[in-house]
Amino acid sequence: MSIPRPADGVSGAGAHRVSTWFSVTGLLLLATVLAAAFVQVRQQALLDLAVRSQDDYLVLSLYQVEIEYLRLRERLRRDVGAPAGSTELQLRYDIFVSRVSMLGSDRAQRLLAAGAVSPQVQREIDSFIRHADIYLGSNPPGALSPQAASALLSSLEALGEPIHAMMLEASHRVAEQITERQIRVRQHNQIGLALTVFLLAMVIGFAAVALRQVRQVEERRRRLELLADQLRDARIEAEAASQAKSEFLADMSHELRTPLHGLLGMLSLVRDSPRDPHAAHWLATADESAQHLLRLLDDILDLSKLESGMLTLAPVPVRLAVLLREVQTLLQPAAGAKGLGLHVTLDPALPEAVLLDPTRVRQVLINLVANAVKYSDTGATILHCRLLADESRAPTLEFDVADTGIGMDRETLARLFRRFSRADTATVRRQGGTGLGLAISRNLARLMGGEILVRSTPGAGSVFSFRCPLLPAAAPAAAERPADLPRGRPLQVLVAEDHPVNRQYMAALLARLGHHARMVDNGLAALQVLQEQAAGAATPPLDLVLMDVHMPTMDGVAATEAIRALPGPAGRVCVLALTADVFADTRERCLAAGAVEVATKPLSLDALRELLARHFGDGAGQPDWPARSADAPDAGDEAAVLIDRGTLHAVRDLMGTDGLPRLYASFFAQADDAARRMRESMHHADLEALSRCAHGVKGAALNLGLPALAKAAAVLNHEAAALAAPQLAQAVQRFEDIAAATRATCRAEGLVE
């Protein structure tokens, strides 16, 4: 497929349009510069006007006070011998008082208040006027005698120097203001001129850019011709990639069908012959097929997350020796079954603990070591962890996986890490696999800031080197276990769970494992139980708290924080958080509050057994567990969407056949009540209450194996705030419809009477 080239006439017209556009833009910029210059000139005129209308005239008014003071003093000196009949003295006094009253204006007060002597002078003037009003006021209570006139003259003469000092002080202040304003005006003018120069420079720069852009138009036309050739080559590569993907999908179709057929076949044999002595072998084969299928799906999911950027790392301090021992322990049986050695070595120069994501590093190492074991028939596989120290780069942690297997040629190495690609040899075909493991491992290594390198020779084995940055960290503290807990002793467990069905389910799980459970329905009640223990109550001390995260009154995070603040053993009790959320921030909040671990609901018997064994030793997870019923689900069951039969069988084993109707009836009663409360919450626009109702149903539905209803509740739990009113009403209606359909299916299965 080729791309048509533009005609010369079309390109010329395009260049003409570009030139016109740049010309118009240049004129607009020039007009902007002229407008800015006009604004600056106008602003300068306004500033000059403002300067003329400021406090300058106020100084003249203040000088009038001093002038009238002098005139009053001269008049009083003349009339001191016979003042009673002098109208001229009275007039001078009235004028002086009127001038003094001008000092009380806001502007005069702001000017005078900045001085050191002005406040005292004003008080002295006010004192003189109050004394003089007795004789010279509008309604004087006494006559001005020569003696009184002489006393007033003495007081008035004492004001001469202070009034003069006040006038000088005000004059200096006004002079400072004028100087300051002039400086600001000059600065403003300088800024305006700089702005004008800057705009002119921008115009010149724009003209240069415009000229360059016009020249680039022609260059782009030539590049389009080259791009057409490149697109043709890219199309050929895309077709090749599509062919590779089609081959991969064909392989995956075969890979998925093989374990699935084995799984369905073994389950059908067990279903049809529940008492056959070979049933255990058939179940083991079915489990192996299911695990194979699960690994395939996990690989596809991991690759999808990596490509979409949704997979994130969670680095924590990890002991390298422990990590390597875990990998060796996991893969030692596979190596031993083939008569291969599996050796692990650790460079003593490495720190005891490093900062990395143990789950993802373990995933990469398991993939590399498993491949080494898979493609080796003799010899041994060696996993060596060492320090790469080089002055030219930062310290690097390297995991080398060396095998004595079939090796690879150059062609195979070139496409080794390519998606949807596997080596096309009889040995590889016989071993099977998705062809995604190495692609996922390399993407994980790059996500950690590292890389995977490989060197290999056909028939002489391969060496895969997984490198990542070395970040030393403090060694993680060992999990604290109760020192007085004997192996296998029943644990005292407090379960904080707001949903009654979930409480019944957790009680059955703990009872099956031989432990004693105490139930509360919110975090505050759990805290009160621990407070009683801290106060020395007679109740048996608790070994473990299974804390649901989302609860009314007090949620699990707040309750855990409060428990950690308690004194003595009650504050150090093992708290395991339970949540149906899969969000990273939920896990971080729980761990920050003091939870020892965060487990995801629904919690199966095996998961709870492993959880207890991890924190209280192997004996805590060993139940008195009868053999599971051999009833197998029908692969063609139409109710499979509404009921997870694997979970249903687990619940039946826990509760017994007689206890199921009561458990499921209690759940559907709670679901009906939750639907009613969700309707009320929607009517009152209380989306938080609606989300809480849906959360309780979601966890219980997962525990009872009702995935469709759990999914409908999860939508309301997580997306209620984001849905518009009509969409929210549809989601609630869908929840009610699925609840009704699930109830009918459970009734048909005999789970509800």
Side-chain angles (χ1 to χ4, degrees), residues 62-63 65-66 103 162-172:
L62 295 177
Y63 277 122
V65 173
E66 185 175 12
L103 299 179
I163 289 176
H164 183 67
M166 181 178 68
M167 296 302 111
L168 289 177
E169 192 175 65
S171 299
H172 292 162

Side-chain angles (χ1 to χ4, degrees), residues 295 323-324 326-331 358-374 383 401 437 441 466:
R295 286 194 296 272
L323 178 65
L324 297 178
E326 290 175 350
V327 175
Q328 183 183 27
T329 301
L330 182 64
L331 296 174
T359 301
R360 297 305 173 184
V361 172
R362 190 184 299 112
Q363 181 179 354
V364 174
L365 294 179
I366 288 175
N367 183 272
L368 296 179
V369 176
N371 283 345
V373 172
K374 181 188 298 184
L383 171 59
V401 179
S441 297
F466 164 38

Side-chain angles (χ1 to χ4, degrees), residues 66 69-70 73 117 121 124 156-168:
E66 185 175 12
Y69 160 76
L70 295 174
R73 187 180 64 181
V117 300
V121 173
E124 293 177 358
L156 189 60
E157 289 176 343
L159 291 176
E161 288 299 327
I163 289 176
H164 183 67
M166 181 178 68
M167 296 302 111
L168 289 177

